[in-house]
Amino acid sequence: MTKGFVVVIAVIVVIVVSVIVYFRSSFSPEKKKFIAKMNERANQVEMKQEVCTKEEIEKLPKPLQRYCQYIGLENFPKYQVVNAFFEQTDFVFDTKSGKQLKMDYDLWLFYDEIFRNAFCSSSMFGIPFEGTDYMTADGRGGMRGILAKHVQIFDENDEQGYKAGMISWLAESVVMNPAALLSNFVTYEEIDDTHVKAVVSCNGVSGSGIFTIDEDGRLTEFYSAERQVEVIDGEKMELGWKCYCEDYQKHDELYLATKVKSTKIFPDGRELVYFDADNIVVTYVK
């Protein structure tokens, strides 16, 4: 074995080890840009000194009033920026195969207008995979995927993605920042004593869903037939989407659900749990 050959092997080993260390490190250029963007936008939002009043809550449909009473919403601040971090969440990456990954999901919700962005990070075969859920000012929404921290492998967005983002904003907000119930972007229709239809509208786009509130006042489910559209076996399908909320615990003066499951509901009625979180940290930014 020649000296030159040994040097080449040594260099290759160093490169491979360096790549592995880099892949396993917490540093990510995409994540750094995402956090900077979210902080920049948060700094542009004016902080409100308002709280949720009894009079406002009494204008909501009876089931939602019951929910507000259960969680203790009265006199809670109307936060304008909320960050929720879902650590090591079970996530089904591919609907057809059911392939599941562990994923960190960093979600930001804004209330000066309907706006949400989220950064997800996972890995496949040791190679980092990152994605950004986003909404744009011109009424489009979608996801951008990054492999190995640098290589963009897709960026898909459309008007349906914007509607999906609005519906997600509604479901997530009512669970993690329930002051959003009083938002001017949302209107309600009481269906019965345990169900309320909500319509969220912004920038000429609307989406709807139905909340289920039990007799004790716990929000247990949110369902929408308008959020999920997927291409399955080459055919675009509209799927149902449901979010389950469980295990309410005290958090910053409110009782919030600490376990959340999101499911896709197929035309034959089959449900697939594709997002299963039981480790959520909610931060009220401003």
Side-chain angles (χ1 to χ4, degrees):
M1 184 179 296
T2 66
K3 184 178 180 180
F5 181 75
V6 173
V7 171
V8 170
I9 294 297
V11 170
I12 293 173
V13 170
V14 170
I15 292 173
V16 170
V17 171
S18 299
V19 169
I20 292 173
V21 171
Y22 177 61
F23 281 175
R24 291 183 176 179
S25 72
S26 60
F27 175 76
S28 162
E30 289 296 318
K31 184 175 182 179
K32 184 179 179 180
K33 286 191 292 185
F34 174 81
I35 296 299
K37 181 179 178 181
M38 293 302 99
N39 284 328
E40 180 182 6
R41 194 184 190 288
N43 289 335
Q44 295 171 355
V45 176
E46 182 179 353
M47 182 181 292
K48 289 189 175 182
Q49 302 299 325
E50 302 175 8
V51 298
C52 303
T53 67
K54 180 179 179 181
E55 292 73 21
E56 289 176 306
I57 293 171
E58 287 178 343
K59 294 178 182 178
L60 295 172
K62 293 293 185 183
L64 288 178
Q65 291 184 40
R66 199 163 62 244
Y67 174 60
C68 293
Q69 183 177 8
Y70 176 80
I71 63 176
L73 186 63
E74 186 177 339
N75 293 323
F76 191 75
K78 293 182 178 180
Y79 289 105
Q80 295 300 294
V81 184
V82 173
N83 175 223
F85 189 77
F86 302 75
E87 184 177 5
Q88 290 296 285
T89 296
D90 290 327
F91 177 74
V92 174
F93 177 75
D94 180 62
T95 299
K96 188 173 182 179
S97 67
K99 180 175 176 55
Q100 185 170 291
L101 302 172
K102 288 287 187 179
M103 176 181 69
D104 288 342
Y105 195 72
D106 190 2
L107 171 67
W108 289 70
L109 301 167
F110 293 80
Y111 299 93
D112 54 332
E113 62 175 302
I114 296 178
F115 185 81
R116 76 183 288 279
N117 267 197
F119 185 86
C120 57
S121 53
S122 186
S123 65
M124 294 180 287
F125 309 110
I127 301 174
F129 171 77
E130 299 167 318
T132 303
D133 283 338
Y134 64 88
M135 302 171 70
T136 66
D138 60 351
R140 299 181 72 84
M143 172 173 262
R144 178 171 175 258
I146 303 294
L147 193 64
K149 299 189 178 183
H150 292 277
V151 182
Q152 179 174 307
I153 54 176
F154 63 84
D155 186 357
E156 300 176 357
N157 62 83
D158 55 21
E159 293 180 0
Q160 172 59 35
Y162 187 81
K163 175 185 280 194
M166 292 176 61
I167 294 171
S168 296
W169 176 94
L170 174 62
E172 294 158 346
S173 296
V174 173
V175 174
M176 291 174 280
N177 184 28
L181 285 166
L182 307 177
S183 170
N184 292 328
F185 296 115
V186 188
T187 58
Y188 302 100
E189 175 189 343
E190 184 172 340
I191 298 173
D192 55 35
D193 192 48
T194 56
H195 296 92
V196 175
K197 179 180 179 180
V199 178
V200 56
S201 302
C202 187
N203 293 329
V205 180
S206 296
S208 68
I210 296 174
F211 292 109
T212 300
I213 298 95
D214 68 17
E215 294 181 355
D216 294 324
R218 288 183 292 263
L219 170 64
T220 59
E221 297 178 12
F222 175 83
Y223 170 78
S224 176
E226 302 175 19
R227 179 188 181 276
Q228 201 73 26
V229 176
E230 280 195 22
V231 176
I232 300 176
D233 295 330
E235 182 181 352
K236 184 175 285 189
M237 292 187 179
E238 293 184 354
L239 308 180
W241 183 77
K242 186 177 288 187
C243 179
Y244 294 95
C245 308
E246 303 173 356
D247 194 15
Y248 281 78
Q249 296 183 23
K250 192 72 173 289
H251 172 76
D252 199 11
E253 302 179 11
L254 291 181
Y255 279 95
L256 301 180
T258 60
K259 295 182 179 180
V260 176
K261 294 181 181 180
S262 295
T263 72
K264 300 174 184 179
I265 306 174
F266 295 90
D268 61 4
R270 176 174 60 94
E271 286 195 36
L272 171 68
V273 178
Y274 74 94
F275 186 93
D276 191 351
D278 61 2
N279 191 3
I280 311 169
V281 178
V282 178
T283 302
Y284 299 111
V285 179
K286 66 185 299 187

